[in-house]
């Protein structure tokens, strides 16, 4: 662990609900100096310094898996208590109420807004590859000129634009990340974003040390 980055070694609960790219997320955080343990029940969240919710696949499948795992309500209580949370990709989208991808499926509904699809245009969907961010703010971003790796066809449209901590342009602006209190989430994949992604994860861990 780099002592210049972290004063203490935080323990992260990496939520395993059958919908996440767990290994690469765990390895990325471990490279930044964190202790990572898989969380499959509410007991695994109890003494963690932060909860990390990844996710790949469809909104509906992830919402169902999270509910069936028994972790939906504990995670919602964690969020309501303003304890540190990082959502990645579907772990970001699930913070909202619903998604055009999966009509009838309910997210956590912690924030108001819907997950929407990129509009039809000449650009390819999914939005896949590297892209830069605009108007970044909050503890996650040390270098606003960095690029991050995206793979998605849908993105959240928060009702409250003040939640947005970074915008990205792909045929129009969309909310690439949000920050509210101790809750942070990104549509892009920090664990796939090389040096910039690791620095973003370090920013999240440094924020834990400042709590």
């Amino acid at each position: 662990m780099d002592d210049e980055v972290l004063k203490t070694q935080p323990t992260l609960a990496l939520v395993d609900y059958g919908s996440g790219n767990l290994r690469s997320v765990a390895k990325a955080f471990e490279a930044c100096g964190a202790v990572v343990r898989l969380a499959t029940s509410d007991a695994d969240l109890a003494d963690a310094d932060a909860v990390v919710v990844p996710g790949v696949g469809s909104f509906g499948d992830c919402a169902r898996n999270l509910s069936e795992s028994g972790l939906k309500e504990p995670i919602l209580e964690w969020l309501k208590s303003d304890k540190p949370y990082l959502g990645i990709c579907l772990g970001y989208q699930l913070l909202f109420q619903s998604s055009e991808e999966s009509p009838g499926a309910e997210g956590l509904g912690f924030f108001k807004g819907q997950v929407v699809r990129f509009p039809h245009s000449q650009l390819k969907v999914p939005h896949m590859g590297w892209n830069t961010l605009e108007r970044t703010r909050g503890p996650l971003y040390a270098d606003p000129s960095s690029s991050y790796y995206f793979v998605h066809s849908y993105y959240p449209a928060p009702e409250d634009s003040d939640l947005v901590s970074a915008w990205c342009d792909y045929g129009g602006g969309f909310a690439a990340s949000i920050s509210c209190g101790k809750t942070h989430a990104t549509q892009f994949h920090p664990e796939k974003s090389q040096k910039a992604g690791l620095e973003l994860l370090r920013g999240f861990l440094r924020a834990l040390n400042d709590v």
Side-chain angles (χ1 to χ4, degrees):
M1 182 176 64
D2 186 345
D3 292 334
E4 294 182 358
V5 174
L6 300 177
K7 300 174 186 176
T8 59
Q9 190 173 32
T11 298
L12 308 182
L14 180 60
V15 176
D16 181 3
Y17 61 111
S19 299
N21 186 14
L22 301 177
R23 184 178 179 185
S24 60
V25 175
K27 288 178 65 177
F29 267 116
E30 288 167 352
C32 295
V35 174
V36 180
R37 67 170 185 233
L38 296 184
T40 58
S41 70
D42 57 346
D44 297 325
L45 308 184
D47 60 347
D49 295 302
V51 164
V52 179
V53 180
V56 294
S58 75
F59 183 95
D61 288 344
C62 287
R64 182 180 63 253
N65 290 350
L66 188 62
S67 181
E68 291 178 351
S69 73
L71 284 164
K72 181 176 181 178
E73 290 304 320
I75 290 173
L76 191 54
E77 288 303 313
W78 181 278
L79 290 162
K80 290 177 179 178
S81 298
D82 195 26
K83 296 179 180 179
Y85 172 102
L86 179 66
I88 299 172
C89 194
L90 265 296
Y92 170 31
Q93 295 182 10
L94 287 170
L95 289 169
F96 293 86
Q97 295 164 299
S98 61
S99 174
E100 291 181 348
E101 181 181 23
S102 305
E106 295 182 356
L108 290 164
F110 186 64
F111 296 119
K112 291 183 177 181
Q114 186 181 30
V115 178
V116 300
R117 194 182 191 280
F118 282 108
H120 293 289
S121 72
Q122 294 181 342
L123 296 174
K124 292 183 179 180
V125 176
H127 170 213
M128 182 181 298
W130 296 87
N131 208 337
T132 55
L133 305 182
E134 302 171 355
R135 291 177 280 166
T136 57
R137 66 168 183 83
L140 301 186
Y141 298 108
D143 183 359
S145 66
S146 295
S147 295
Y148 299 87
Y149 192 81
F150 291 83
V151 184
H152 65 120
S153 300
Y154 297 82
Y155 59 89
E159 286 190 12
D160 182 2
S161 62
D162 289 341
L163 294 174
V164 182
S165 57
W167 295 88
C168 185
D169 183 77
Y170 192 71
F174 69 91
S177 69
I178 58 169
S179 289
C180 180
K182 298 172 188 173
T183 298
H184 309 280
T186 69
Q187 182 59 67
F188 54 85
H189 289 268
E191 78 280 8
K192 297 180 181 180
S193 297
Q194 301 179 2
K195 182 179 178 180
L198 292 179
E199 185 54 38
L200 182 142
L201 297 182
R202 291 189 185 100
F204 179 71
L205 297 177
R206 283 193 296 265
L208 300 182
N209 287 177
D210 294 337
V211 172

